[in-house]
């Protein structure tokens, strides 16, 4: 299972150091939570911070755009060096064009669903995407509790993907920690976004990632 630390709960006063710590600890992707205060009730950062993170690591970076009308910003996040952009289906009434716009920029395409958005909202898009992101918290904040119904949604989405696009990644985001990571892996998630399980005042980044790996091996 790949781990994608979310920098949202990192110490922004030493962001480059925190990103390098995740890379050294064996993370697979960096997950950058862009929030606009409109689609979600919080504001985080934009392309400039994403570009700074990109400069701090050799890991591939994905921008999770929790923003209205995300197509306005695709060029900016491409220029910032993102390899994948994940948009929210709830913010994309013209999803076919949105996907085309990402393809034109040679960006990997992710589509995210909030915890109660019906899975069939993206059913016809599945053959066209590289990744589906199942939110296991309401987007907007780190450190929230995992919503248990996400596990079954992951299972169902994995089955849907296996039928039409078996190589697509299935990512889970929100409340993934040492207690929930085996469930989401067993439900079919191939990438876990991990925020407060990695970036926390209670342990180092290395300890956080090592604990997740131990949990995946059933050693916790
Ligand atoms: C929430 C973000 C998540 C969040 C993850 O809107 O999309 O990536 O930062 O943080 P944890 O892992 O602490 O739930
Ligand atoms: Zn996220």
């Amino acid at each position: 299972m790949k781990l994608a630390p979310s920098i949202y709960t990192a110490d922004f006063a030493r962001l480059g150091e925190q990103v390098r710590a995740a890379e050294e600890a064996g993370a697979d992707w960096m997950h950058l939570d862009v929030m606009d205060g409109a689609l979600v009730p919080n504001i985080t950062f934009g392309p400039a911070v994403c570009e700074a993170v990109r400069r701090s690591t050799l890991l591939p970076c994905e921008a999770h755009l929790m923003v209205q009308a995300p197509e306005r910003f695709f060029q900016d996040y491409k220029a910032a060096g993102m390899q994948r952009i994940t948009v929210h289906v709830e913010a994309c009434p013209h999803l076919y064009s949105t996907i085309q716009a990402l393809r034109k920029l040679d960006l990997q395409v992710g589509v995210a669903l909030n915890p109660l958005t019906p899975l069939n909202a993206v059913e016809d898009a599945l053959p066209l995407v590289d990744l589906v992101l199942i939110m296991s918290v309401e987007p907007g904040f780190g450190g929230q509790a995992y919503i248990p119904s996400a596990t079954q949604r992951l299972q169902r989405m994995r089955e849907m993907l296996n039928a039409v696009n078996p190589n697509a990644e299935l990512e889970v985001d929100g409340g993934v920690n040492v207690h929930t990571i085996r469930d989401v892996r067993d439900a079919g998630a191939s990438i876990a976004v991990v925020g407060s399980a990695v970036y926390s005042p209670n342990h180092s980044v290395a300890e956080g990632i090592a604990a997740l790996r131990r949990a995946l091996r059933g050693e916790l």
Side-chain angles (χ1 to χ4, degrees):
M1 165 165 252
K2 295 186 231 13
L3 298 180
S6 158
I7 60 158
Y8 173 57
T9 51
D11 177 353
F12 277 39
R14 51 196 185 98
L15 187 53
E17 205 184 297
Q18 294 260 272
V19 171
R20 278 185 293 278
E23 179 177 7
E24 280 148 30
D28 300 284
W29 280 77
M30 289 310 296
H31 181 87
L32 307 179
D33 284 314
V34 175
M35 301 182 194
D36 66 356
L39 189 69
V40 296
N42 196 0
I43 294 177
T44 53
F45 47 78
V49 170
C50 292
E51 196 270 334
V53 169
R54 179 73 201 84
R55 271 187 289 113
S56 307
T57 178
L58 294 175
L59 292 179
C61 295
E62 60 177 3
H64 175 191
L65 298 187
M66 290 163 273
V67 305
Q68 297 280 21
E71 61 281 356
R72 292 172 292 162
F73 307 110
F74 290 166
Q75 297 266 9
D76 299 335
Y77 287 97
K78 171 74 175 178
M82 300 300 101
Q83 284 199 26
R84 176 164 54 229
I85 285 183
T86 297
V87 296
H88 270 260
V89 65
E90 300 87 356
C92 297
H94 304 290
L95 188 55
Y96 183 82
S97 310
T98 303
I99 292 171
Q100 293 298 95
L102 289 169
R103 291 285 180 225
K104 230 163 110 190
L105 290 168
D106 197 22
L107 283 160
Q108 285 189 35
V109 176
V111 180
L113 296 93
N114 285 339
L116 295 185
T117 298
L119 299 185
N120 61 21
V122 295
E123 187 166 8
D124 295 337
L126 295 185
L128 306 174
V129 302
D130 299 300
L131 174 141
V132 173
L133 170 53
I134 296 291
M135 292 303 298
S136 37
V137 295
E138 279 292 4
F141 301 93
Q144 301 179 80
Y146 178 82
I147 298 172
S149 59
T151 306
Q152 203 199 27
R153 285 167 61 84
L154 285 164
Q155 282 162 345
R156 283 169 42 216
M157 181 51 72
R158 186 69 261 171
E159 284 158 21
M160 291 165 73
L161 282 169
N162 287 347
V164 297
N165 189 355
N167 296 328
E169 298 273 19
L170 180 57
E171 187 173 51
V172 59
D173 186 0
V176 179
N177 56 36
V178 292
H179 306 295
T180 55
I181 194 160
R182 281 172 67 111
D183 291 345
V184 301
R185 190 252 339 252
D186 295 350
S190 53
I191 308 180
V193 176
V194 279
S196 48
V198 171
Y199 293 112
S200 157
N202 307 326
H203 53 68
S204 72
V205 171
E207 285 160 353
I209 289 182
L212 291 164
R213 294 289 188 203
R214 277 200 306 276
L216 283 166
R217 292 193 300 268
E219 292 167 11
L220 278 188

